[in-house]
Amino acid sequence: MPLFEGLSGKLQEIAARMRGKVRVSEQDIRDMMREIRLALLEADVNYQVARRFVEEASARCLGSDVLEGLNPGQQVVKIVHDTLVDTLRRQSGKLQVSPSGFTTYLLVGLQGSGKTTTAAKLALYLRKKGKKPMLASVDVHRPAAARQLEVLAKQVDIPCLVDPDEKDAAALARRVSERARYLLHDTLIVDTAGRMTVDADLMEELRRISAVLKPTETLLVVDAMIGQESVAIATAFQEQVGIDGTIMTKLDGDARGGAALSIGSVTGRPLKLICTGEKLPDMEEFHPDRMASRILGMGDILSLIEKAQEALDEKKALETFDRMRQNRFTLQDMLDQFVEMKKMGPLDKVLDMLPGMGKKPVDASQVDPRAIDRSLAILRSMTRRERMEPSLLNASRRKRIASGSGTTVQEVNRLVRQYEEASAMMKRFASLSKGKRKGAGFPGLPF
Amino acid sequence: MGLLDPFRKGLEKTRKLLGAGFVRLSAAMGRFDEEWLQELEDSFIAADAGMTATLRLTDAVRSAIRRTGDVSRTAVARVLADEMRAILGPPAPLALEKGRPTILLLVGVNGTGKTTTTGKLAARYRTDGFRVVIGAADTFRAAAIEQLEIWAQRADTPLIASHTGADPAAVVFDTLQAARARKADLVLLDTAGRLHNKQHLMDELAKIRRVIQREAPDARCDTLLVIDATTGQNAVSQARQFHEAVRVDGLVLTKLDGNAKGGVALAVAVETGLPIRLAGLGERLEDLVDFDPDAFIQSLLPEA
Ligand SMILES: Nc1nc2c(ncn2[C@@H]2O[C@H](COP(=O)(O)OP(=O)(O)OP(=O)(O)O)[C@@H](O)[C@H]2O)c(=O)[nH]1
Ligand SMILES: Nc1nc2c(ncn2[C@@H]2O[C@H](COP(=O)(O)OP(=O)(O)OP(=O)(O)O)[C@@H](O)[C@H]2O)c(=O)[nH]1
Ligand SMILES: [Mg+2]
Ligand SMILES: [Mg+2]
């Protein structure tokens, strides 16, 4: 996800103008909020939800004293960010289990949102938590829908009930529910056909399925790329079949996922899980703070630190981090990071949290391990001096590095560009932490 | 009843989406003030038209009113229609020529409707007398090949497929060989869904294009980017990055029969200038039509 794309130059401009003030004026807030609103709309937050959110954040800002170490611009962004985190936290929740001992999850949503894949992911996720799940498809419409679920179920060795010859989805629902109980499973996950909420027949079918299954939870599966209509869609599912929560998919893309805010706000139903890839283990719990940064377009520096700390030697991470803050992030640091990352095992997820790395040309989350190897080769073909002083890298040096590493000048250029992006980010980052403030509060603020 | 009717009918469920705002507007006729323009702006934002297109539209209305003083509903609707037409450009149907070898490569992010559109295209051109061959170049997703098999059967078209996990470029190669042997004039290639920020997946597409270029240098090859009309502003990023990776020749906007107002067409058109060639209006074989800018614009505006 591109850093700072949302809260861009204009916001920083306004913030700069506000430097030195001790109190945030109403006009300051109005100016900043206009930009915040645009950032939210760009992130596909529903326009009415965006307006309400901005009102709430403005109210929080009004008259608030500027915290020590922050300038008023930073203060406003911090309040906006905190407000968003609070809101998202209120709108998050965990899956519920039935007290009866037999839990049924019904997955619903628009065509192609990711229900079938998510069903299989959820089964895997619950099995890891000690459940004995069973999968079932009552999608009697889409070509090869049942087959798709069967194949996925087999990949993770979870039993799956389908009947491609049955044309009545509700009848099928009854059969699979009985069968799962009979086979002593404690959890049944039911995949349904995709449907538009304006399709009255299919909505009626869903009501009948739901009446038969009496699901413990009906989960709306939503594509992170969805636009303004997310609100109307979620409301329609909510009113017509009732939903208990949302699962957001395809967050491995660069969509900012504003629907996460919109849907929770209008339905009052929590976001429960997120999906970050096509593979079955790619399901995670939802972190309100990460999502807030993402929606506002602030990057995910917090997550980077968190993740890095899990796997890296903590001290080393802090050292790098300190250097980042002091704006001495060099290609040498980049090399160290790549080396560490290789140690950390599966690279996806880690790389796209690295500042400046989320965007092309570094492939964010499905990192090809060979790409890392090539980057390493390039970095290692540089002299230490070149790594410490990247400005030395003129055309002939780049050519030498390319042939030394068995890559192309283009690839070398690409890597240097990545470095520059990261470095530019660090600069802003550094200037923000120049204040004498200590401890929390520095990440996520773009200036 | 005219040629546009299937398109109009498909859009019926979502018609007149700017309507509500507009009715209020016209009630306030004579006072087309800033508040009113703000409402108009909201209507376009709510339709996913994005900031750039929206501001262009509201600016056009503002300056037209300033220029002519005409605040009637029809006048405003005309300004909006003209500006949307300017953004969307003229109709840009696929216009395939029988007998000239043509390859259509369908690409897009996950779940937009590539496979379904492949099936629909096969049926459409077979009916028009083309010799069609389909290639199953999605070798990744579970049961993608089975799904396409069913569509190929429905469209009564031969399918060239390998197995899950095979190299998609190799499937493309096989498909082109088979097409040559069968003297096919249209090859449809369904590819796996891929998010545009994944470089190695974009490289895979570039490789497919290279195979096509090498194996069928004289054929016309169009890359069609399939975009789900329910998508928000990310559609712009999709269009840009797919275009950068493989050069996109046209867009297919699917699922226009459903919840989406489809205003994202304006966002993508204004930001990239790529032509929208086809519209998906349902899940059946026949639910594919040429994208008609005028009918689309009419569906967004309230009836005059
Ligand atoms: N990149 C990515 N792709 C995903 C994710 N979840 C699902 N997909 C892909 O999205 C596409 C659609 O997923 P499905 O599970 O078939 O969606 P569905 O909602 O069951 O679709 P219908 O049954 O046709 O309505 C497939 O290509 C999946 O691999 C995700 O989190 N990330
Ligand atoms: N209502 C409606 N549904 C559509 C349309 N086009 C496709 N769909 C549905 O959208 C879902 C996904 O369609 P697919 O053709 O499998 O999409 P895809 O792009 O091939 O998906 P992946 O290969 O998984 O990336 C299916 O349920 C289709 O029936 C359309 O124009 N209208
Ligand atoms: Mg499905
Ligand atoms: Mg497909």
Side-chain angles (χ1 to χ4, degrees), chain A residues 136-169:
Chain A
S137 170
V138 300
D139 180 348
V140 298
H141 301 286
R142 167 169 167 171
R147 182 81 193 116
Q148 184 188 356
L149 188 66
E150 247 180 352
V151 170
L152 294 172
K154 195 148 178 242
Q155 283 175 11
V156 283
D157 198 21
I158 284 174
C160 178
L161 295 170
V162 300
D163 181 356
D165 298 323
E166 175 66 78
K167 290 290 162 253
D168 181 344

Side-chain angles (χ1 to χ4, degrees), chain A residues 142 197 228 252 254 363, chain B residues 48 141 198 200 234 259 283:
Chain A
R142 167 169 167 171
T197 61
Q228 292 283 320
D252 45 327
D254 63 1
D363 163 14
Chain B
D48 292 315
R141 217 208 58 207
K198 301 194 177 185
H200 66 293
N234 192 250
N259 288 89
E283 299 184 80

Side-chain angles (χ1 to χ4, degrees), chain A residues 111-112 142 196, chain B residues 109-116 120 138 141 147 190-191 193 254-255 257 280-283:
Chain A
Q111 283 92 344
R142 167 169 167 171
M196 300 289 177
Chain B
V109 298
N110 306 80
T112 54
K114 295 172 290 299
T115 306
T116 307
K120 291 172 177 176
D138 178 355
R141 217 208 58 207
Q147 183 191 2
D190 179 31
T191 64
T254 59
K255 311 187 195 176
D257 51 311
L281 296 173
E283 299 184 80

Side-chain angles (χ1 to χ4, degrees), chain B residues 197-254:
Chain B
N197 59 337
K198 301 194 177 185
Q199 188 61 42
H200 66 293
L201 295 180
M202 298 312 268
D203 291 346
E204 184 184 279
L205 274 188
K207 181 172 165 198
I208 288 177
R209 282 222 59 144
R210 283 198 300 276
V211 169
I212 295 172
Q213 178 59 36
R214 196 180 62 220
E215 295 306 312
D218 302 325
R220 163 178 171 189
C221 176
D222 279 20
T223 302
L224 295 177
L225 174 64
V226 181
I227 292 182
D228 180 335
T230 3
T231 313
Q233 299 313 299
N234 192 250
V236 174
S237 167
Q238 290 169 27
R240 282 209 185 108
Q241 302 207 31
F242 272 97
H243 192 46
E244 195 178 300
V246 283
R247 204 197 74 229
V248 169
D249 299 285
L251 307 175
V252 183
L253 203 57
T254 59

Side-chain angles (χ1 to χ4, degrees), chain A residues 182-285:
Chain A
Y182 177 79
L183 293 171
L184 299 179
H185 287 272
D186 55 16
T187 309
L188 174 65
I189 299 162
V190 181
D191 177 31
T192 62
R195 64 201 77 222
M196 300 289 177
T197 61
V198 291
D199 190 325
D201 294 345
L202 284 179
M203 291 308 276
E204 171 59 23
E205 181 200 74
L206 193 58
R207 272 194 298 276
R208 291 198 297 121
I209 294 170
S210 173
V212 168
L213 288 174
K214 300 189 182 59
T216 317
E217 296 217 313
T218 301
L219 300 167
L220 180 66
V221 179
V222 182
D223 185 326
M225 296 176 267
I226 195 169
Q228 292 283 320
E229 209 54 16
S230 63
V231 158
I233 291 162
T235 311
F237 275 107
Q238 162 91 320
E239 282 168 0
Q240 297 186 40
V241 284
I243 56 171
D244 301 283
T246 307
I247 298 178
M248 182 165 268
T249 63
K250 308 184 198 173
L251 276 163
D252 45 327
D254 63 1
R256 305 246 300 275
L261 174 63
S262 312
I263 293 177
S265 303
V266 297
T267 62
R269 292 295 184 261
L271 180 53
K272 303 210 159 180
L273 289 163
I274 60 170
C275 298
T276 54
E278 290 188 78
K279 306 221 174 69
L280 297 186
D282 298 334
M283 174 175 265
E284 299 172 18
E285 259 139 59

